[in-house]
Amino acid sequence: MDAIRHHSYGPPETLVLEQIPEPTPGAGQVLIAATAHGVHLMDTSLRRGEASGPLEAPELPAVPGREVAGTVVAVGPEVDPAWVGTRVAAHLGATPDGGGYARRVRAPASALHLVPDGLDEADAIAMIGTGRMALHTLEIARLSGDDVLVVTAAAGGLGSLFVQAGLAAGARVLALAGGPEKVELVRGLGPAESLVVLDYRAQGWPAEALAVLRTLGGPATVVLDGVGGDLGTAAARLLGPGGRLVVHGWSSGHPNRLADPDDGGTSEIEVRYAVGPGAPAPADLRGYQEEALARAATGSWRVLTHRVPFAEAARAHRELEERRTTGKVVLV
């Protein structure tokens, strides 16, 4: 069967399309004919041979990927045969070589979610991983109608959901996106009276942001930051005293300096972590996944995906690393 595999650590071009044996589902497992395969920024670090979060670099050769959706074509012992023929999505768990970039994927039956009618597999993939993380982070942020929210990387899979969640809570939202096309995309997520989008690549954007926040009733009360580095730190400086900086990642490779009291941090803001040391464990991953799928299926969340043909996994990794994607990256 077709699979994407790498035999060495390195650039995206180490990912190649190969033929490998089709797996057989074991006890408690199913076999999925996958039509959508989630691509995560963590996958790019593991491909380079770098540890990422709780995951060490995989043993080689490896088939990356931990999120798949498609149709169940076989079941192993101790699994209800009624699963065969159903459309499902699954997170394969915390493993560096999950095997998700393959045409046939083994998955625990306990990890399966039915894909709701009217929702396609690529959108379902976004909810299985990104949607559940969004709900966990929002639980920590505790947004309300009194908030003035700033979202970094607002055109990304998480950022676009945060913008929508903030607006649904009644907050006024300043969204930061990189480049005119991404700015226009994010503007389509809500009404102009409650949502302002700025291009963080434009010179002098922090001064413009301060002016915008005044029109929104600012300063900011909440910043949701998954970028860190210079952008995340500049965004966090928009918080007023008592504001909440919620850190859900550092895709720049560098932490948000205002979150570190030894690196310019300030006691005037409250720092909360959704990931990293000291972050609370997600209360109910499966519950988050079910809720995220329901939000996408009912249209209360508009899902943004960046779809790349399965055979072009190297391209997907490169575009993700070069910040040329919008929404969740999915191989289809």
Side-chain angles (χ1 to χ4, degrees):
M1 68 170 182
D2 288 344
I4 302 296
R5 194 156 63 157
H6 62 118
H7 294 260
S8 62
Y9 303 124
E13 288 71 25
T14 60
L15 297 174
V16 293
L17 179 66
E18 294 185 338
Q19 292 292 308
I20 66 171
E22 182 172 309
T24 301
Q29 295 180 326
V30 305
L31 186 66
I32 301 172
T35 54
H37 317 254
V39 179
H40 194 282
L41 189 63
M42 184 180 289
D43 297 350
T44 68
S45 298
L46 297 172
R47 186 207 70 232
R48 294 192 297 268
E50 303 167 3
S52 183
L55 302 183
E56 298 296 327
E59 294 184 8
L60 300 178
V63 176
R66 288 161 292 116
E67 303 159 345
V68 296
T71 302
V72 176
V73 292
V75 299
E78 304 172 15
V79 178
D80 187 345
W83 279 110
V84 174
T86 59
R87 291 195 313 140
V88 298
H91 195 289
L92 303 176
T95 172
D97 53 350
Y101 294 11
R103 295 294 193 188
R104 297 287 188 272
V105 180
R106 276 186 302 207
S110 59
L112 300 181
H113 292 268
L114 290 172
V115 176
D117 291 341
L119 189 68
D120 76 5
E121 285 85 355
D123 287 350
I125 279 293
M127 295 298 96
I128 287 295
T130 303
R132 78 175 187 180
M133 183 61 194
L135 289 169
H136 172 56
T137 305
L138 290 166
E139 197 170 77
I140 292 168
R142 299 192 181 279
L143 300 177
S144 77
D146 295 326
D147 282 316
V148 178
L149 170 65
V150 176
V151 178
T152 62
L158 278 170
S160 58
L161 298 179
F162 292 147
V163 169
Q164 295 175 73
L167 293 171
R172 290 135 291 160
V173 180
L174 170 60
L176 304 175
E181 291 183 1
K182 292 185 178 183
V183 166
E184 287 305 312
L185 180 67
V186 177
R187 280 183 179 145
L189 296 177
E193 60 268 23
S194 301
L195 172 64
V196 178
V197 190
L198 296 182
D199 184 351
Y200 64 74
R201 294 182 180 177
Q203 187 173 5
W205 74 262
E208 186 178 359
L210 286 171
V212 166
L213 288 172
R214 285 193 288 271
T215 70
L216 295 175
T221 62
V222 182
V223 171
L224 294 176
D225 176 40
V227 178
D230 291 341
L231 172 60
T233 301
R237 295 191 192 284
L238 301 173
L239 286 164
R244 312 189 296 282
L245 170 60
V246 182
V247 176
H248 59 89
W250 37 90
S251 62
S252 67
H254 303 282
N256 191 308
R257 292 190 293 278
L258 259 66
D260 185 352
D262 297 324
D263 191 19
T266 171
S267 61
E268 292 188 349
I269 65 172
E270 178 187 357
V271 180
R272 302 179 183 180
Y273 284 92
V275 297
D284 181 7
L285 285 177
R286 186 168 183 86
Y288 293 145
Q289 290 170 329
E290 291 174 350
E291 181 178 348
L293 283 167
R295 290 191 183 200
T298 60
S300 63
W301 267 358
R302 176 184 168 192
V303 185
L304 303 183
T305 56
H306 183 89
R307 306 183 186 203
V308 177
F310 176 79
E312 299 179 32
R315 172 188 144 200
H317 274 226
R318 183 165 298 285
E319 290 177 348
L320 183 56
E321 289 175 312
E322 294 177 351
R323 301 184 184 279
R324 292 192 284 126
T325 64
T326 55
K328 173 68 176 178
V329 181
V330 185
L331 302 178
V332 295

